[in-house]
Every structure is written in C-alpha cells, then in structure tokens.
Amino acid sequence: MGEKKVSLPAKLINGGVAGLVGVTCVFPIDLAKTRLQNQQGIQVYKGMLDCLAKTVRSEGYFGCYRGAAVNLTLVTPEKAIKLAANDVFRQKLSKDGKLPLWGEVLAGCGAGTCQVVVTTPMEMLKIQLQDAGRLAAQRPMAAPAQAAAPGPAPSLVAPSSQAQSTPPPRPSATGITMELLKTRGLAGLYRGVGATLMRDVPFSMIYFPLFANLNALGRESASGQADVQARAPFWQSFVAGCSAGSVAAVAVTPLDVIKTRLQTLQKGAGEDTYRGILDCTTRIMRREGPSAFLKGATCRALVIAPLFGIAQGVYFLGVGETVLGLLG
C-alpha cells in the first residue's frame, strides 16, 4: 500500500495533539478499568458504571481524572513515538511503494517496542494515582469484616479506630517519583517493563496492520492495487482506528491485567503481591480463575477505540503539517 510521506516533526505534532485530545475524552473510563482490574478480594465496584458513579459520589467529578496530569504530560511523547516510529518503519520496509503483511506486523512490533521507554513510567505513576481512591473506599468495607473475625488477631491487622479515622495523605506524581528514585533508583519507575512490552508489542502488531488494511478499503485502482494518490476520508480513518483499536485492546487485555497488578505498589486487605509475570499469572489463575484475565476488557475497548480513532483522524487530517505551515 502506498503511503504519503510526512515529515518527522509533523508526525510528532500529529501524535501529540491526538494523544492530548483522546486522553482528555476517555480518561474516566481508563480509571474505572484500572480499579476493576486491581480488585481481588473485597469487591468495591460491580462494574464500570458503578465504579464511575461511586467515584463521582465520593471524590467528586474531578476524582475521575486522578492521574490525568501524568497522562497528559507524557502522552504527547508516548503517542508521538508510537505513531512516528510505526510510520518510519513502514517507509523503511516498503518496496516499490508496497508493504507486505509481514512488514506491517514488523513495523507495529518496532513501534510498540520504542514507546515502552515513555509508557512504562507513565503507567507506573498513573496506576498509583488512579487506584488510591479504590484503596480508600475499601477501608470502611474491610473494617467490619476484620472486627467480626474471631480471636485477638484483628488488633494486629487493623489500626486503632483513631488511626482509621485519619485518612492517609493523597499521593502525588511528584511524591511517588521521588520516593521510587530514592528507594529503588531509576529501575523503580520501570517496574513492570517486561509486562508492558508483552502488552504493547502484540497490541501494535495487531493494531497497525489491521488499521492500515481497514483504512485502505475502497481505495483501489482499476488494476486492483491500492491507489497511491488516494487519501482516506476522515470518517474512514476514524472508524478504522476505532475498529482496529477495539480488536487489539480486547486481544491483549489478559496481558494488561498482569501489567496493572505488577505495577500497583499499594495493595488492599488480603490482596496478593507478585514476584514477576509468571508468579502473577499462576496466582491469578489459581485464586480468581481465567475470567479474571478479562477484567476491564469492556473498559479497554471503550478507551482504546475512540483514543486511536481520534489519533488516526488527526494524523490523517494533517494537523501537524498545518501547524508547521503556520509557523513557517
């Protein structure tokens, strides 16, 4: 499939603008996804809508945007790297203006690998901020269960009522970053990098080839080859991005559950901690069953579909080229 060449600065601007717009639109659903995936013992939320309703009730509307500042700060380089890297790899792997399926998959693999540099610390910080509200909501539910437990052990598990009445300080991205750097070094910010690679590389290998083929539908010349000069209309780029994003998001949801569990630092009462990917996988399977690996699948589809629909719409509308033209 022939592709219109776009300058690297324009690709970076397109990816950044698309990421900012997309994240602003879907962040509350992403917060619900994180909280649902982290639930192990005490079920604070029954589903996405219940999670959002309880979050608004207890934390206010802006509670749904906990961690959004981290995402909005880092999503620009993350999406810029992902989209630009995929485009660069596609151009390098093209021969005579055509890119075979193996080249599309390889380009997606390269894009997913490149973005992990930014994605891992961004997700690490975002997850701690998003999950703080779930942990706070879990404490009042855990207290009656602990009080009902037989024997004198509860005093060792639960703090005194005076201590319980004092809520812990709300975490901040800066505070978490400084604590991780002080206690674990730079590696602390890259906790779960292997699981992030396991999620993002397959996602990109599914998403980019699927999007490219959906986006090329109906743009063939009389010879049966993709028309090099034809450009997909906005609605087609948007629908192709949404469709490809939904399929890829649901396909890698089990890997996203593992990544989220590994990157969560604070655990609730009775919740497992994990030593690595294999340990996490076996513990989830043993304690929660295979259905736990699909927690948040609907939320992921609802997040990724519009996120990448907007991203590809902006990308193919050429916002970056327009901005560079105005600055030039």
Side-chain angles (χ1 to χ4, degrees), residues 152-184:
S155 61
L156 300 176
V157 178
S160 66
S161 58
Q162 183 179 359
Q164 283 184 344
S165 63
T166 305
R170 179 174 295 185
S172 68
T174 304
I176 295 169
T177 302
M178 297 306 295
E179 182 64 23
L180 285 172
L181 291 175
K182 184 169 64 177
T183 58
R184 309 185 190 189

Short mmCIF file of all heavy atoms in Angstrom, two decimals, residues 152-184:
data_model
loop_
_atom_site.label_atom_id
_atom_site.label_comp_id
_atom_site.label_asym_id
_atom_site.label_seq_id
_atom_site.Cartn_x
_atom_site.Cartn_y
_atom_site.Cartn_z
N PRO A 152 -8.09 -12.49 69.09
CA PRO A 152 -7.49 -11.17 69.30
C PRO A 152 -6.68 -10.67 68.12
O PRO A 152 -6.12 -9.60 68.17
CB PRO A 152 -6.57 -11.41 70.49
CG PRO A 152 -6.17 -12.85 70.36
CD PRO A 152 -7.36 -13.55 69.77
N ALA A 153 -6.59 -11.46 67.03
CA ALA A 153 -5.74 -11.09 65.91
C ALA A 153 -6.07 -9.76 65.25
O ALA A 153 -5.18 -9.11 64.74
CB ALA A 153 -5.77 -12.18 64.84
N PRO A 154 -7.35 -9.31 65.20
CA PRO A 154 -7.65 -8.08 64.48
C PRO A 154 -6.79 -6.90 64.87
O PRO A 154 -6.53 -6.04 64.04
CB PRO A 154 -9.13 -7.81 64.81
CG PRO A 154 -9.69 -9.18 65.02
CD PRO A 154 -8.59 -9.95 65.67
N SER A 155 -6.35 -6.81 66.12
CA SER A 155 -5.54 -5.67 66.52
C SER A 155 -4.21 -5.62 65.79
O SER A 155 -3.61 -4.57 65.65
CB SER A 155 -5.28 -5.71 68.04
OG SER A 155 -4.56 -6.90 68.36
N LEU A 156 -3.77 -6.80 65.31
CA LEU A 156 -2.53 -6.83 64.56
C LEU A 156 -2.75 -6.49 63.09
O LEU A 156 -1.82 -6.08 62.40
CB LEU A 156 -1.90 -8.24 64.64
CG LEU A 156 -1.56 -8.74 66.04
CD1 LEU A 156 -1.05 -10.17 65.96
CD2 LEU A 156 -0.51 -7.83 66.68
N VAL A 157 -3.96 -6.64 62.62
CA VAL A 157 -4.26 -6.42 61.21
C VAL A 157 -4.73 -5.00 60.97
O VAL A 157 -4.33 -4.33 60.04
CB VAL A 157 -5.34 -7.42 60.73
CG1 VAL A 157 -5.69 -7.16 59.28
CG2 VAL A 157 -4.83 -8.84 60.93
N ALA A 158 -5.61 -4.53 61.84
CA ALA A 158 -6.22 -3.22 61.64
C ALA A 158 -5.70 -2.23 62.67
O ALA A 158 -5.49 -2.58 63.83
CB ALA A 158 -7.74 -3.34 61.76
N PRO A 159 -5.47 -0.99 62.26
CA PRO A 159 -5.08 0.03 63.22
C PRO A 159 -6.23 0.40 64.12
O PRO A 159 -7.36 -0.02 63.92
CB PRO A 159 -4.67 1.20 62.31
CG PRO A 159 -5.44 0.99 61.05
CD PRO A 159 -5.58 -0.49 60.89
N SER A 160 -5.95 1.16 65.14
CA SER A 160 -6.98 1.59 66.08
C SER A 160 -8.00 2.46 65.37
O SER A 160 -7.76 2.99 64.30
CB SER A 160 -6.34 2.40 67.22
OG SER A 160 -5.80 3.60 66.71
N SER A 161 -9.17 2.60 65.99
CA SER A 161 -10.24 3.39 65.37
C SER A 161 -9.80 4.83 65.17
O SER A 161 -10.20 5.49 64.23
CB SER A 161 -11.50 3.34 66.25
OG SER A 161 -11.20 3.83 67.55
N GLN A 162 -8.94 5.32 66.06
CA GLN A 162 -8.47 6.70 65.90
C GLN A 162 -7.58 6.81 64.67
O GLN A 162 -7.68 7.78 63.92
CB GLN A 162 -7.68 7.12 67.15
CG GLN A 162 -7.21 8.58 67.08
CD GLN A 162 -6.45 8.97 68.34
OE1 GLN A 162 -6.30 8.18 69.26
NE2 GLN A 162 -6.01 10.21 68.38
N ALA A 163 -6.75 5.78 64.47
CA ALA A 163 -5.87 5.81 63.30
C ALA A 163 -6.69 5.64 62.03
O ALA A 163 -6.38 6.23 61.00
CB ALA A 163 -4.83 4.70 63.40
N GLN A 164 -7.76 4.82 62.09
CA GLN A 164 -8.59 4.61 60.91
C GLN A 164 -9.32 5.87 60.51
O GLN A 164 -9.59 6.08 59.35
CB GLN A 164 -9.62 3.50 61.19
CG GLN A 164 -9.01 2.10 61.13
CD GLN A 164 -10.07 1.04 61.31
OE1 GLN A 164 -11.18 1.33 61.75
NE2 GLN A 164 -9.74 -0.18 60.99
N SER A 165 -9.65 6.70 61.47
CA SER A 165 -10.41 7.90 61.15
C SER A 165 -9.56 8.95 60.46
O SER A 165 -10.09 9.91 59.92
CB SER A 165 -11.02 8.49 62.43
OG SER A 165 -9.97 8.90 63.31
N THR A 166 -8.25 8.78 60.50
CA THR A 166 -7.36 9.73 59.83
C THR A 166 -6.96 9.16 58.48
O THR A 166 -6.21 8.19 58.41
CB THR A 166 -6.08 9.96 60.67
OG1 THR A 166 -6.47 10.37 61.97
CG2 THR A 166 -5.22 11.02 60.02
N PRO A 167 -7.49 9.73 57.39
CA PRO A 167 -7.18 9.18 56.07
C PRO A 167 -5.73 9.45 55.71
O PRO A 167 -5.15 10.47 56.11
CB PRO A 167 -8.13 9.96 55.14
CG PRO A 167 -8.42 11.24 55.86
CD PRO A 167 -8.38 10.90 57.32
N PRO A 168 -5.10 8.54 54.97
CA PRO A 168 -3.73 8.76 54.56
C PRO A 168 -3.64 9.93 53.58
O PRO A 168 -4.62 10.26 52.91
CB PRO A 168 -3.36 7.44 53.87
CG PRO A 168 -4.66 6.87 53.42
CD PRO A 168 -5.66 7.29 54.45
N PRO A 169 -2.48 10.57 53.49
CA PRO A 169 -2.35 11.69 52.57
C PRO A 169 -2.53 11.25 51.13
O PRO A 169 -2.15 10.13 50.76
CB PRO A 169 -0.91 12.19 52.82
CG PRO A 169 -0.20 11.01 53.42
CD PRO A 169 -1.23 10.30 54.23
N ARG A 170 -3.12 12.10 50.33
CA ARG A 170 -3.36 11.77 48.92
C ARG A 170 -2.03 11.75 48.18
O ARG A 170 -1.24 12.69 48.26
CB ARG A 170 -4.29 12.81 48.30
CG ARG A 170 -4.57 12.56 46.82
CD ARG A 170 -5.59 13.52 46.27
NE ARG A 170 -6.89 13.33 46.90
CZ ARG A 170 -7.99 13.99 46.52
NH1 ARG A 170 -7.94 14.87 45.55
NH2 ARG A 170 -9.13 13.77 47.14
N PRO A 171 -1.74 10.67 47.45
CA PRO A 171 -0.46 10.59 46.74
C PRO A 171 -0.39 11.58 45.59
O PRO A 171 -1.41 11.98 45.02
CB PRO A 171 -0.43 9.15 46.23
CG PRO A 171 -1.88 8.76 46.12
CD PRO A 171 -2.58 9.48 47.23
N SER A 172 0.82 11.98 45.26
CA SER A 172 1.04 12.86 44.11
C SER A 172 2.09 12.22 43.21
O SER A 172 2.93 11.42 43.66
CB SER A 172 1.53 14.24 44.56
OG SER A 172 2.83 14.16 45.11
N ALA A 173 2.07 12.58 41.94
CA ALA A 173 3.03 12.02 41.00
C ALA A 173 4.46 12.37 41.38
O ALA A 173 5.37 11.53 41.31
CB ALA A 173 2.72 12.52 39.59
N THR A 174 4.65 13.62 41.83
CA THR A 174 5.99 14.05 42.23
C THR A 174 6.47 13.26 43.44
O THR A 174 7.62 12.79 43.48
CB THR A 174 5.99 15.55 42.55
OG1 THR A 174 5.50 16.28 41.42
CG2 THR A 174 7.40 16.03 42.88
N GLY A 175 5.59 13.10 44.44
CA GLY A 175 5.96 12.37 45.65
C GLY A 175 6.29 10.91 45.35
O GLY A 175 7.28 10.37 45.88
N ILE A 176 5.48 10.28 44.51
CA ILE A 176 5.73 8.88 44.15
C ILE A 176 7.05 8.75 43.39
O ILE A 176 7.85 7.84 43.65
CB ILE A 176 4.57 8.32 43.30
CG1 ILE A 176 3.28 8.28 44.12
CG2 ILE A 176 4.90 6.92 42.79
CD1 ILE A 176 2.05 7.99 43.30
N THR A 177 7.28 9.68 42.46
CA THR A 177 8.53 9.64 41.68
C THR A 177 9.75 9.78 42.57
O THR A 177 10.72 9.00 42.44
CB THR A 177 8.52 10.76 40.62
OG1 THR A 177 7.39 10.62 39.77
CG2 THR A 177 9.79 10.73 39.79
N MET A 178 9.73 10.75 43.48
CA MET A 178 10.87 10.97 44.37
C MET A 178 11.10 9.77 45.28
O MET A 178 12.24 9.37 45.53
CB MET A 178 10.65 12.24 45.20
CG MET A 178 10.56 13.52 44.36
SD MET A 178 11.98 13.76 43.27
CE MET A 178 13.28 13.99 44.49
N GLU A 179 10.02 9.18 45.79
CA GLU A 179 10.15 8.03 46.68
C GLU A 179 10.73 6.83 45.93
O GLU A 179 11.60 6.12 46.46
CB GLU A 179 8.77 7.68 47.24
CG GLU A 179 8.77 6.52 48.22
CD GLU A 179 9.56 6.80 49.50
OE1 GLU A 179 9.74 7.98 49.84
OE2 GLU A 179 9.99 5.82 50.14
N LEU A 180 10.26 6.61 44.70
CA LEU A 180 10.77 5.49 43.92
C LEU A 180 12.25 5.69 43.57
O LEU A 180 13.05 4.75 43.65
CB LEU A 180 9.96 5.32 42.63
CG LEU A 180 8.57 4.70 42.78
CD1 LEU A 180 7.80 4.77 41.47
CD2 LEU A 180 8.68 3.26 43.24
N LEU A 181 12.60 6.90 43.18
CA LEU A 181 14.00 7.18 42.84
C LEU A 181 14.91 7.03 44.06
O LEU A 181 16.04 6.54 43.96
CB LEU A 181 14.13 8.58 42.24
CG LEU A 181 13.53 8.78 40.84
CD1 LEU A 181 13.61 10.25 40.44
CD2 LEU A 181 14.24 7.90 39.81
N LYS A 182 14.39 7.43 45.22
CA LYS A 182 15.19 7.37 46.45
C LYS A 182 15.36 5.94 46.93
O LYS A 182 16.45 5.57 47.40
CB LYS A 182 14.52 8.22 47.54
CG LYS A 182 15.33 8.32 48.83
CD LYS A 182 14.75 9.38 49.75
CE LYS A 182 13.35 9.02 50.19
NZ LYS A 182 12.79 10.01 51.15
N THR A 183 14.31 5.13 46.82
CA THR A 183 14.36 3.78 47.40
C THR A 183 14.78 2.70 46.39
O THR A 183 15.40 1.71 46.75
CB THR A 183 12.99 3.39 47.99
OG1 THR A 183 11.99 3.49 46.95
CG2 THR A 183 12.62 4.33 49.13
N ARG A 184 14.44 2.91 45.12
CA ARG A 184 14.70 1.85 44.14
C ARG A 184 15.49 2.32 42.93
O ARG A 184 15.78 1.52 42.03
CB ARG A 184 13.38 1.24 43.66
CG ARG A 184 12.47 0.80 44.81
CD ARG A 184 11.24 0.10 44.32
NE ARG A 184 10.27 -0.10 45.39
CZ ARG A 184 9.18 -0.82 45.30
NH1 ARG A 184 8.91 -1.44 44.16
NH2 ARG A 184 8.36 -0.96 46.31
#
